[in-house]
Amino acid sequence: MEEAIRVAEREYTKEEVLKILNPLVAEWFASKFRDLTPPQRYALIPIHNGENVLVSSPTGTGKTLTAFLIALSELFNMAEKGELDNTVYVLYVSPLRALNNDIYRNLEEPLREIREIAQKRGKEIPEIRHVVRTGDTPSSQRQNMLRKTPHILITTPETLAIILVAPKFREKLRTVKWVIVDEIHSLAESKRGAHLSLSLERLRELTGRDFIRIGLSATINPLDEIAKFLVGYNEDGSPRPCLIVDARYSKRKSIHVVSPVSDLIYTPAQEVTSKMYETLYDIVKKHRTTLIFTNTRSGSERVVFHLKMLAKKKGDIPEDSIATHHSSLSRGVRMDVEEKLKKGELKAIVSSTSLELGIDIGYIDVVVQVGSPKSVTRCLQRVGRSGHRLHETSKGIMVCVDRDDLVEVAVMIREAYRHHLDKVHIPRNPLDVLAQHIVGMAIERKMNAEDAFKIVRRSYSFHDLSWEDFENTLKFLSGSYGELEEYKVYGKIWYDPFEKVFGRRGKYARVIYTLNIGTIPDEVSVKVLTLDKKYVGNIEEEFLERLVPGDRFVLGGKVYEFVKSDGMTAYVKPAFDQKPTIPAWFSEMLPLSYDLAIRIGEFREKMFQWISSGKPREEIKRYLTRECKVNSAGAEAIVSYFEEEYLVLKSLGSKKFPSHRVILTEKYRDEAGRIHHVFHTLYGRRTNDALSHALAYLASRKANSNIGLAIHDNGFALIYPPGINIDVSLRDIRPEELEDYLKKSIFNTELMKRRFRHVATRGLMILRNYKGHEISVEKQQLNASTLLRVIKKWEDFPILKETYREILEDYMDIQHAREVLEKIHKGEIEIVDVGLLDTPTPFAYNIVLEGLSDIVLMEDKRALIARFHEELMKKIRKMSLKASTT
């Protein structure tokens, strides 16, 4: 860890903290809290001493008060001396409006109670004002903030970027002394974080001095990277100092894995499903309030439906005490659910991801996860929502009905207890975000480009930005690509490349900037029509993004085949008698993290070593129960799963077994005559996305035909049409060729079209709103398709370059894919091929069936797995019979 970034080692006592506080604040604090929480013991005095601090600790450990207490104390000092101006001193930024409203309410109490103490002591103190300002704030309230400026401003990253160019209000920010960034882990992972980091550097320019930065985060890793993201860099390129308060493990946890049945192969699908809902219902019944996470929105609706059916049947839980909460519900419905939760009126709440972040939802005594949360960090963040107080234990139960999920979660929990967390991925140098901020800077004043470049490079997200990319973005924004004007892309700024100076162009620049700022794309539903223009229904844009012609999916209970898209319309043809190849929740699935995937690969290696060396089954099961917290049914299912894979591969004469160091490949011909070429690359879906697209590109060139793809966290399959059987290997791709193959493979896809629109909109190339007129997403998409055709000849065009970067680095994981290829070429990863099989090996079931896992076909999926299994067992029995007679 660099010198500037250090971990807090000194703890302070309550007495030491009370001494430095304003006497009124000290009296209030002493009367409210018996002792300091871990974050408070380490962080309060350093904040008082003017240090930047990153606090990472679970929910319910007093993080928020840690962040505000010193600022409140100093504001009361100023108020007593009559030194409070009509300006902002504390800036609090969070990603959620709901969290902002919580913080507003949470501050009301101390502010009121401290003033009451003052009145009792006969002191009249001016009011310390705090206000929430977001996109929802009416203009009358915004006007009022100029007259009565909040001393504590609570806002979002987007609103901060807007007020930085608001001519009058911007002046009120010159006095900012403390900036608190809440839920920083959630911001850092997306472009909203890059956006905020540039706003903070522009604020630093405005104040003319450093302010104290306080970051608050749940469980995250690595903390030194998040600290650098929070504080940025000095002009000389060194990181600004930051103190890390690591209290991630300050709460006890109890996490267990439950499989409702021990045989996940032969137990009929209906029985497994009903046992799962019985298990969930049983947990809900035994606890006061249960928070259940599913990985998809449709999954959460399904769980609520079944729990309510059981409640109706059994009559021991009121039906209306079970509710769902996810991002597709209206704001009103979500707020109503949150309110009921806080009041303790709900027994169970089912959510996809929307309750992961720190909004105050009252008391939860157990968190249940259906399926795998896909990363150790996410697992701990979710489980951390239970046992809200510091001395309480966070309790989590993972319910799995799939063998791959079971193995994944078992390893995940072992790693959670070992404190091994996945690394966060922070987007680097997003040029669309840069474009927005260059326009923002131009609106502030005429600027020297080299000075602006220095400001931008102080941000962690843009620290290694090249001058060439910076200047190309200036040129694009100033209309240097003349032929784009006929497509209504006009310069937003002017730039003089000789003097290296830029400024705003036109009187509408500020309006365009204010109405088009932000990084969250307009998501909209896509209309689905048959080729003869009959309306079928709607799908989400994210779902369309992953479709390729020939994919089949269910809509309104019927199967359709995707043909093409035009703007925001998808064209399909009926395929009623065929099976879907894409599940309905396909676009919502969380990807398995690379770090956890590697640990599962290592676990595979260990299991196969144990089995081949004859380690007793009971001993292996005891290990799983003790180290991985798996129930006995789950331990039985895991051991059987590995034994089957072992026996099958042994019967095929293989001496090697799939792990992080061995990539097994196999082929399987299905009933339709298609060959599934399966690659057991257990590296997580983002890495597999990159490896598979590059290999599919090579295969389609070799076969002179379109090649299908099934991508899974544990591997991928190339699907060759009937009559085609080719041999391609990951050895055929050199690490340095990967990027080129990927760019070629994605250029004509839906993914490229959509992402280009998002990037072009963020980069202000396509406007969402012009002079107050909303531009429909459909029109934006048509404009984007036209522009993409025009600019594809300019390799270095910032918006095209950023689209590729976003797809290859943020959506896929080209870095780890390249690493895998390097290890293959160095011989550190071995590729073992077991040839064409009439039945896939057990570890390949889910990869082959990736295309057949729609909800309506859950039964078919299980039936098919049972059939594969039956055939395999026959083969193994035959082999062992042969072995015993020879």
Side-chain angles (χ1 to χ4, degrees):
M1 210 175 278
E2 288 165 72
E3 275 300 284
I5 311 290
R6 52 196 187 83
V7 176
E9 286 169 358
R10 164 127 198 237
E11 284 190 67
Y12 294 88
T13 63
K14 187 180 177 186
E15 287 62 42
E16 287 174 290
V17 168
L18 291 176
K19 249 183 229 161
I20 59 153
L21 293 177
N22 167 285
L24 299 170
V25 177
E27 188 178 335
W28 170 82
F29 188 81
S31 70
K32 283 284 200 188
F33 304 100
R34 264 213 331 268
D35 200 3
L36 303 177
T37 64
Q40 290 161 1
R41 281 201 287 275
Y42 287 101
L44 287 172
I45 293 209
I47 294 171
H48 171 74
N49 293 340
E51 289 189 59
N52 299 319
V53 174
L54 170 67
V55 178
S56 181
S57 71
T59 307
T61 50
K63 281 198 296 274
T64 313
L65 188 57
T66 306
F68 277 105
L69 190 65
I70 300 299
L72 288 179
S73 171
E74 296 209 18
L75 288 174
F76 274 99
N77 281 340
M78 290 163 80
E80 285 189 75
K81 291 176 193 161
E83 290 172 1
L84 267 189
D85 285 331
N86 197 30
T87 57
V88 178
Y89 294 98
V90 183
L91 183 65
Y92 168 92
V93 185
S94 98
L96 293 176
R97 290 174 187 183
L99 187 52
N100 285 344
N101 295 328
D102 271 352
I103 294 295
Y104 177 81
R105 284 193 295 272
N106 292 344
L107 280 174
E108 288 212 287
E109 194 178 297
L111 288 172
R112 190 190 69 249
E113 290 174 351
I114 296 166
R115 286 190 73 198
E116 283 168 4
I117 292 171
Q119 279 161 358
K120 275 184 200 156
R121 304 279 169 275
K123 292 184 177 179
E124 263 313 310
I125 291 184
E127 183 195 5
I128 291 169
R129 295 185 292 270
H130 69 303
V131 165
V132 175
R133 179 166 178 165
T134 65
D136 295 339
T137 308
S139 61
S140 58
Q141 279 180 26
R142 293 203 299 267
Q143 283 303 312
N144 193 39
M145 284 180 208
L146 281 170
R147 287 192 300 279
K148 290 176 79 174
T149 306
H151 303 116
I152 302 170
L153 179 64
I154 300 164
T155 191
T156 59
E158 292 72 19
T159 303
L160 173 59
I162 290 169
I163 58 179
L164 276 170
V165 299
K168 290 178 184 159
F169 198 85
R170 127 187 199 88
E171 293 305 311
K172 306 281 190 180
L173 297 174
R174 286 189 190 274
T175 49
V176 166
K177 189 176 172 187
W178 298 272
V179 172
I180 299 166
V181 183
D182 205 347
E183 302 289 344
I184 192 169
H185 56 284
S186 136
L187 287 166
E189 291 178 292
S190 71
K191 288 189 176 183
R192 290 182 83 192
H195 200 282
L196 174 64
S197 76
L198 282 183
S199 288
L200 292 181
E201 291 313 322
R202 286 169 55 202
L203 177 64
R204 162 70 185 74
E205 208 53 25
L206 178 65
T207 59
R209 58 176 163 72
D210 284 331
F211 36 76
I212 297 163
R213 302 181 190 220
I214 302 162
L216 304 179
S217 169
T219 311
I220 191 82
N221 182 50
L223 287 179
D224 55 331
E225 289 302 304
I226 297 289
K228 282 191 266 185
F229 170 79
L230 169 69
V231 298
Y233 292 83
N234 295 309
E235 289 282 316
D236 64 2
S238 62
R240 292 190 183 110
C242 186
L243 183 75
I244 294 171
V245 173
D246 182 0
R248 289 174 294 185
Y249 311 110
S250 55
K251 262 173 86 177
R252 287 193 307 276
K253 59 183 171 289
S254 158
I255 316 173
H256 292 276
V257 194
V258 172
S259 169
V261 295
S262 56
D263 184 349
L264 286 165
I265 293 286
Y266 287 126
T267 311
Q270 261 177 312
E271 194 184 323
V272 173
T273 310
S274 70
K275 281 260 168 60
M276 179 187 84
Y277 290 123
E278 287 282 351
T279 305
L280 292 178
Y281 190 81
D282 203 38
I283 296 167
V284 170
K285 210 168 88 175
K286 283 181 186 154
H287 294 84
R288 203 168 84 198
T289 313
T290 304
L291 170 57
I292 302 172
F293 280 108
T294 61
N295 284 348
T296 63
R297 295 186 284 273
S298 50
S300 56
E301 293 287 1
R302 221 160 45 245
V303 170
V304 164
F305 172 76
H306 285 281
L307 287 179
K308 286 191 170 205
M309 294 289 281
L310 281 170
K312 196 176 194 172
K313 189 169 125 191
K314 299 189 178 203
D316 48 7
I317 295 177
E319 264 181 87
D320 58 5
S321 69
I322 301 166
T324 184
H325 186 290
H326 57 72
S327 54
S328 300
L329 297 170
S330 72
R331 187 163 169 257
V333 171
R334 287 203 309 268
M335 284 178 79
D336 184 44
V337 169
E338 287 162 28
E339 222 30 65
K340 280 184 174 160
L341 245 183
K342 275 179 217 168
K343 289 179 186 160
E345 291 170 12
L346 293 180
K347 277 288 283 177
I349 170 91
V350 188
S351 170
S352 51
T353 54
S354 55
L355 289 177
E356 255 178 16
L357 294 183
I359 54 172
D360 180 14
I361 50 173
Y363 184 79
I364 302 285
D365 47 351
V366 65
V367 168
V368 178
Q369 165 74 45
V370 179
S372 167
K374 298 290 174 188
S375 88
V376 183
T377 309
R378 188 179 288 107
C379 167
L380 289 172
Q381 279 169 9
R382 288 180 169 186
V383 170
R385 301 295 278 151
S386 68
H388 202 87
R389 292 178 194 87
L390 181 59
H391 59 277
E392 289 164 356
T393 300
S394 291
K395 187 175 175 187
I397 301 171
M398 311 273 150
V399 180
C400 298
V401 292
D402 171 275
R403 298 195 298 180
D404 282 335
D405 267 1
L406 200 50
V407 172
E408 200 173 287
V409 172
V411 177
M412 183 187 298
I413 286 169
R414 186 192 69 182
E415 296 307 302
Y417 275 99
R418 290 177 177 179
H419 297 172
H420 287 159
L421 301 174
D422 320 274
K423 284 191 183 74
V424 64
H425 168 74
I426 304 175
R428 305 303 286 260
N429 304 323
L431 300 179
D432 46 357
V433 172
L434 175 67
Q436 272 188 35
H437 281 273
I438 287 176
V439 173
M441 288 168 157
I443 291 164
E444 287 171 25
R445 65 183 192 318
K446 181 171 127 181
M447 243 185 144
N448 176 294
E450 284 163 348
D451 290 346
F453 182 57
K454 279 181 193 157
I455 294 170
V456 167
R457 281 179 51 120
R458 292 196 312 233
S459 145
Y460 172 89
S461 304
F462 293 90
H463 186 55
D464 51 7
L465 178 75
S466 69
W467 168 259
E468 188 188 7
D469 279 346
F470 182 77
E471 192 171 41
N472 280 344
T473 308
L474 279 172
K475 286 175 178 170
F476 141 64
L477 287 168
S478 61
S480 293
Y481 296 83
E483 61 195 272
L484 290 177
E485 291 220 346
E486 61 186 275
Y487 299 99
K488 301 208 166 30
V489 176
Y490 302 109
K492 316 286 182 297
I493 64 170
W494 57 265
Y495 172 54
D496 181 339
F498 303 106
E499 295 284 318
K500 301 259 187 290
V501 181
F502 68 96
R504 73 169 173 181
R505 176 193 282 191
K507 56 182 180 181
Y508 289 116
R510 181 182 312 242
V511 176
I512 286 171
Y513 176 77
T514 307
L515 292 175
N516 290 279
I517 202 157
T519 60
I520 303 165
D522 286 337
E523 286 298 350
V524 74
S525 64
V526 175
K527 216 184 281 173
V528 179
L529 304 179
T530 55
L531 292 171
D532 52 2
K533 303 274 171 75
K534 280 203 184 82
Y535 173 69
V536 178
N538 289 56
I539 54 175
E540 288 179 346
E541 196 184 345
E542 278 175 278
F543 185 63
L544 175 63
E545 190 172 84
R546 289 178 173 235
L547 294 180
V548 292
D551 281 341
R552 297 188 296 276
F553 59 94
V554 175
L555 191 57
K558 293 178 177 162
V559 183
Y560 293 93
E561 184 179 310
F562 175 63
V563 179
K564 61 174 185 179
S565 81
D566 184 7
M568 300 312 288
T569 307
Y571 288 95
V572 296
K573 59 185 185 193
F576 300 155
D577 54 338
Q578 291 176 293
K579 298 217 164 128
T581 55
I582 303 288
W585 35 258
F586 185 52
S587 59
E588 304 171 25
M589 286 302 282
L590 298 163
L592 174 68
S593 74
Y594 176 78
D595 299 322
L596 181 57
I598 293 292
R599 304 277 187 194
I600 299 165
E602 291 165 357
F603 174 79
R604 281 183 171 186
E605 185 177 74
K606 182 186 242 173
M607 287 289 282
F608 285 124
Q609 277 169 0
W610 282 348
I611 292 168
S612 60
S613 67
K615 192 180 179 90
R617 278 182 112 241
E618 288 310 310
E619 242 181 84
I620 301 176
K621 280 163 70 176
R622 273 200 299 277
Y623 171 86
L624 292 169
T625 313
R626 187 182 66 246
E627 297 292 319
C628 307
K629 316 289 183 198
V630 182
N631 72 343
S632 59
E636 177 61 45
I638 291 173
V639 175
S640 304
Y641 190 28
F642 276 87
E643 284 174 341
E644 285 157 24
E645 182 75 10
Y646 176 79
L647 291 170
V648 171
L649 291 176
K650 212 157 179 286
S651 74
L652 294 168
S654 177
K655 291 186 174 62
K656 299 280 183 177
F657 305 94
S659 72
H660 62 304
R661 285 196 285 228
V662 176
I663 293 174
L664 185 81
T665 66
E666 59 183 278
K667 285 180 176 174
Y668 157 70
R669 186 181 275 113
D670 66 17
E671 288 163 352
R674 301 177 309 166
I675 285 179
H676 298 248
H677 193 174
V678 178
F679 295 78
H680 293 266
T681 48
L682 206 174
Y683 302 114
R685 198 172 66 230
R686 288 175 56 234
T687 303
N688 288 342
D689 225 334
L691 292 171
S692 61
H693 273 90
L695 200 56
Y697 172 74
L698 272 187
S700 57
R701 275 197 350 204
K702 203 167 180 178
N704 214 358
S705 161
N706 267 350
I707 301 294
L709 257 187
I711 302 163
H712 189 273
D713 285 313
N714 296 4
F716 62 89
L718 302 184
I719 303 163
Y720 308 140
I724 289 177
N725 181 9
I726 54 170
D727 276 308
V728 285
S729 164
L730 287 167
R731 285 192 207 92
D732 302 339
I733 306 170
R734 289 204 306 277
E736 61 275 15
E737 298 171 322
L738 180 64
E739 185 171 338
D740 185 48
Y741 286 163
L742 284 176
K743 284 181 173 177
K744 285 174 176 157
S745 81
I746 61 180
F747 188 78
N748 285 318
T749 60
E750 292 299 324
L751 177 65
M752 182 75 185
K753 282 195 236 171
R754 312 275 140 212
R755 295 290 168 135
F756 177 76
R757 186 196 94 226
H758 295 167
V759 171
T761 309
R762 259 185 233 114
L764 306 178
M765 186 182 189
I766 292 170
L767 299 180
R768 290 184 296 197
N769 193 311
Y770 184 61
K771 298 183 188 174
H773 298 293
E774 291 275 340
I775 294 161
S776 74
V777 176
E778 196 147 7
K779 187 140 189 236
Q780 289 173 36
Q781 187 58 48
L782 288 170
N783 294 347
S785 302
T786 311
L787 288 170
L788 187 53
R789 284 196 296 275
V790 176
I791 65 160
K792 66 179 179 193
K793 58 180 180 280
W794 298 316
E795 272 286 295
D796 269 352
F797 189 76
I799 299 299
L800 182 61
K801 192 171 179 176
E802 174 54 25
T803 306
Y804 280 129
R805 190 211 63 77
E806 182 181 301
I807 294 172
L808 301 190
E809 291 179 21
D810 303 347
Y811 176 79
M812 295 178 183
D813 184 351
I814 188 172
Q815 182 201 339
H816 284 123
R818 212 181 269 126
E819 227 170 87
V820 170
L821 293 174
E822 278 163 8
K823 285 182 176 173
I824 289 170
H825 284 277
K826 283 181 193 161
E828 291 169 25
I829 292 177
E830 204 178 336
I831 297 178
V832 176
D833 183 48
V834 292
L836 182 62
L837 313 174
D838 42 14
T839 315
T841 71
F843 279 16
Y845 293 173
N846 277 335
I847 301 170
V848 169
L849 294 174
E850 181 62 29
L852 301 173
S853 46
D854 207 296
I855 308 127
V856 291
L857 294 165
M858 208 60 185
E859 287 74 13
D860 293 4
K861 181 188 173 186
R862 287 196 180 277
L864 202 46
I865 285 183
R867 203 190 78 208
F868 283 161
H869 193 69
E870 192 52 56
E871 287 167 13
L872 269 182
M873 289 298 111
K874 265 186 213 157
K875 202 179 294 173
I876 291 168
R877 280 195 292 272
K878 226 181 260 175
M879 292 282 190
S880 53
L881 206 67
K882 208 183 268 180
S884 64
T885 52
T886 53

